């Protein structure tokens, strides 16, 4: 079975290393190369693929050094290939790619950036969400509209409840404070925050997050329409 390692990088980013039983590995969103190389060396893994969810540096700045060190192939949204650079394979919505015997489904999820994608791995019940969706939060609307992001969220909402989400940042507690401000009486939210607080006190990531819990607690994901999402996002920007 392929394993997923959560690598804290930069200030509050996560890169994820997927290690197959044969020692081949892929990395999602390497915003820095060093910690990824250190992990690969320590666990004697061969990096075959680099995947990016979007073009921001904290998600792809490690690409080139990793490619030079390992010869790995870079896979990224086709719409952002020029911004990212040295992309070997551009992907679009609905693409299915097999990496180290695992099926990756590409979901276009514009909003944070216009070309943002999520990678869905049905066999692992896993969704890599980049800065589209965080635990208890969502990315800022830098390029897309609230309408774009709301439609992206409706796609995520169709995934099975037992999907685990792996976002690009550790923002759970800060996001949780905002969700609690909006929905003070949501007991599922109170539970998620308590559990996340305990994990963070032990220096542990709050990631991955069960999509079932996000569906009950994340006020952005639960927005009824684009207008409500827009109002929440604007309020969060000032929170
Ligand atoms: Zn970003
Ligand atoms: Fe980011």
């Amino acid at each position: 079975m392929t394993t997923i390692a959560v690598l804290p990088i930069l200030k509050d980013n996560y890169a994820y290393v997927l290690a197959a039983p044969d020692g081949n590995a892929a990395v999602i969103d390497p915003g820095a190369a060093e910690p990824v190389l250190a992990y690969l060396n320590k666990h004697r893994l061969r990096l075959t693929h680099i995947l990016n969810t979007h073009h921001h540096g904290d998600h792809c700045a490690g690409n080139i050094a990793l490619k030079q060190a390992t010869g790995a192939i870079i896979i990224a949204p086709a719409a952002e290939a020029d911004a990212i650079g040295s992309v070997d394979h551009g992907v679009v919505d609905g693409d299915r790619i097999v990496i180290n015997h695992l099926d990756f489904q590409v979901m276009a999820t514009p909003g944070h950036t216009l070309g943002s994608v999520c990678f869905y791995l049905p066999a692992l019940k896993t969704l890599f969400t980049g800065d589209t969706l965080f635990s208890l939060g969502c990315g800022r609307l830098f390029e897309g509209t609230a309408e774009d992001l709301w439609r992206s969220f409706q796609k995520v909402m169709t995934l099975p409840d037992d999907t685990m989400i792996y976002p690009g940042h550790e923002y759970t507690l800060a996001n949780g404070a905002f969700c609690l401000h909006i929905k003070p009486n949501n007991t599922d939210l109170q539970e998620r925050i308590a559990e996340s607080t305990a994990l963070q006190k032990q220096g542990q990531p709050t990631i991955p997050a069960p999509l079932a819990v996000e569906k009950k607690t994340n006020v952005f994901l639960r927005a009824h329409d684009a207008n409500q999402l827009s109002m929440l996002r604007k309020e969060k920007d000032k929170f």
Side-chain angles (χ1 to χ4, degrees), residues 10 12-14 29 53-54 56-59 112 130-132 134 139 142 168-169 171:
L10 304 172
D12 48 31
N13 280 78
Y14 286 128
D29 281 354
T53 57
H54 66 293
H56 290 155
D58 60 317
H59 299 259
H112 178 66
D131 289 355
T132 296
F134 300 127
F142 284 129
H169 292 264
Y171 288 157

Side-chain angles (χ1 to χ4, degrees), residues 69-89:
T70 65
I73 288 169
I74 300 176
I75 296 172
E80 300 186 352
D82 288 346
I84 292 169
S86 301
V87 172
D88 297 294
H89 183 64

